Amino acid sequence: IFAQYTPYTPIKDKFDNKEVEADGWHEINLQISSVTLSATENIKGTGFSLGYNKTFNIIKDKPVYLIAGANIQYSIFSHSVPGADITATIVDENKKPKDMTFSTATNTDIALYDINIPVSVMYDIAVTNTFSVAPYAGIRLRAGLSGTQTSQLSLKGASATESQAVSATNPALFEEVSSNVYDNDFKRFNIGWQAGVNLYYDCYTL
């Protein structure tokens, strides 16, 4: 889900069909998206971001633009890994030893705060006075601001009274010394690429 407001000049003159290029424009965007954490196995999550972009015309009389900006993103992930069954001997209420079998599972919740800095080149193709198609490609820099991880080991027995859980929280995923279960997967700084197509209609981006 993507919502964006773009106060910019219409790019095509409807009277003589001549393109009228804007010098650039500002964009404020709010986005809800599916995100993936690349760990030992890919973990799906949801990201929420709020940001600002500035678009600059970089070739005079041509609809070629440089887009630069920044956004703050909050991402949440949940991951469950089933474990092997274990058998343990416990003492029941009558003080008699009793063998019990438990199924195990590890549930992990991860929350991340990042700042993203996208830089792209875009070509704006005018279709009508108020509608254009604009493919773009570029790079994205990401800096991890903070992150927390909560892991819970669940032991499930035959009844609710025979089940229990043990939790542990790591409040500093991006620190140099970290005890998280994905020790090699959290880097404070990352760089990647991006590509896509913007559809501009009046002052809105689809």
Side-chain angles (χ1 to χ4, degrees), residues 40-117:
T40 305
E41 57 182 290
N42 290 337
I43 303 172
K44 299 295 184 180
T46 302
F48 306 87
S49 66
L50 176 65
Y52 166 82
N53 291 334
K54 169 64 177 177
T55 302
F56 305 88
N57 181 228
I58 57 176
I59 300 180
K60 187 177 180 180
D61 299 326
K62 298 293 182 181
V64 180
Y65 297 89
L66 177 70
I67 307 173
N71 66 73
I72 298 292
Q73 179 168 306
Y74 169 65
S75 304
I76 51 176
F77 304 87
S78 293
H79 187 48
S80 179
V81 179
D85 291 348
I86 61 174
T87 300
T89 301
I90 64 172
V91 178
D92 63 17
E93 62 273 10
N94 297 319
K95 298 184 179 181
K96 293 181 179 181
K98 177 181 178 182
D99 290 336
M100 296 185 60
T101 299
F102 297 89
S103 60
T104 65
T106 302
N107 302 305
T108 302
D109 294 322
I110 298 171
L112 303 176
Y113 290 91
D114 303 306
I115 182 169
N116 297 290
I117 302 175

Side-chain angles (χ1 to χ4, degrees), residues 4-12 20-29 52-58 62-69 121-126 132-136 198-205:
Q4 179 168 288
Y5 178 72
T6 308
Y8 78 113
T9 303
I11 59 175
K12 199 168 188 181
V20 179
E21 301 303 331
D23 290 333
W25 57 86
H26 305 273
E27 299 174 338
I28 299 174
N29 55 72
Y52 166 82
N53 291 334
K54 169 64 177 177
T55 302
F56 305 88
N57 181 228
I58 57 176
K62 298 293 182 181
V64 180
Y65 297 89
L66 177 70
I67 307 173
V121 174
M122 180 180 72
Y123 187 82
D124 204 356
I125 304 170
S132 68
V133 178
Y136 66 88
N198 285 336
L199 302 178
Y200 290 106
Y201 177 72
D202 200 4
C203 290
Y204 298 93
T205 302

Side-chain angles (χ1 to χ4, degrees), residues 186-204:
F186 289 96
K187 298 178 181 179
R188 188 175 291 276
F189 298 101
N190 293 271
I191 184 171
W193 63 274
Q194 61 181 10
V197 177
N198 285 336
L199 302 178
Y200 290 106
Y201 177 72
D202 200 4
C203 290
Y204 298 93

